[in-house]
Structures are given as structure tokens and as C-alpha cells.
Amino acid sequence: QVQLVESGGGLVQPGGSLRLSCAASGSIFRIRTMGWYRQVPGKQRELVATVTREGSTNYAEAVKGRFTISRDNAKNTVYLQMNSLKPEDTAVYYCRADGLATILREFTSWGQGTQVTVSS
């Protein structure tokens, strides 16, 4: 079983910055992709950004140029640096990891979510 623990959410004014972190632990052979998703009440969870083990990144159009995803493979940790935050970025942000728990068993795990609120 793989557990993900997020941190770094909070309240920030428009134009401000926040950095989210997500650390994976448990039975991990290799993590292939780590990513951040977000969800607001009444809407589906949406992709924010993903990063592969090799460092390839993918971003939602709404956050390109403002958010940066990165990871530390040695620490099984992924980060999301969020700059120039807008009120529409307000959501619960979830971390996700996909990989191999053992050489033969794949996993997909989600974190518990961290609230990001952008408001003056």
C-alpha cells in the first residue's frame, strides 16, 4: 500500500504564491508518474500538472506559465510551485502517484487533499 501526504495549502491573496508538497511512502518499487489535480464543489476533478520519473511535464492550459511541477525521485516527493495565483485557482488540490508497488503489481494512489484558497 502506498500513502501520499500533502502539505502547503492555505489562504493567499490574488497574485501571491504557494508551494505544495506531496511525499509518498509505503510499499514502493518505482513511481512512474506523479501529479496534481484539483476539484471544486460540484465539478469533476481536473488535471493540473504531471511529471514523469524522467522529468517530462504536462500542464493544464489554465496554469501554464504560472505553475511549475517538480519531483525528487530519491525522496518520492512531488512539488507544485504556484505563482500569480488567481481566485479561480481556489480548490482542493490532490496529489496522485502511479507506479509499481512490486515488480509485478501496479498501483495508483491519491492523497487526502489540501485546500488552496485565493482571496483578498
Side-chain angles (χ1 to χ4, degrees), residues 17-95:
S17 298
L18 280 176
R19 188 189 194 215
L20 305 182
S21 299
C22 172
S25 62
S27 178
I28 299 171
F29 177 73
R30 181 177 293 126
I31 300 178
R32 287 195 287 253
T33 302
M34 301 188 81
W36 291 95
Y37 293 72
R38 64 188 182 187
Q39 188 170 24
V40 298
K43 291 191 176 182
Q44 286 192 331
R45 193 172 297 186
E46 63 178 13
L47 180 145
V48 176
T50 60
V51 58
T52 67
R53 185 175 184 83
E54 294 75 23
S56 295
T57 58
N58 179 50
Y59 294 93
E61 285 296 326
V63 307
K64 280 183 179 178
R66 299 188 297 121
F67 291 10
T68 302
I69 190 170
S70 60
R71 66 187 280 179
D72 184 332
N73 291 330
K75 297 181 179 179
N76 288 329
T77 299
V78 64
Y79 307 96
L80 186 68
Q81 178 66 42
M82 304 185 293
N83 298 330
S84 301
L85 281 161
K86 304 175 181 179
E88 51 263 44
D89 294 317
T90 296
V92 178
Y93 284 70
Y94 295 90
C95 174

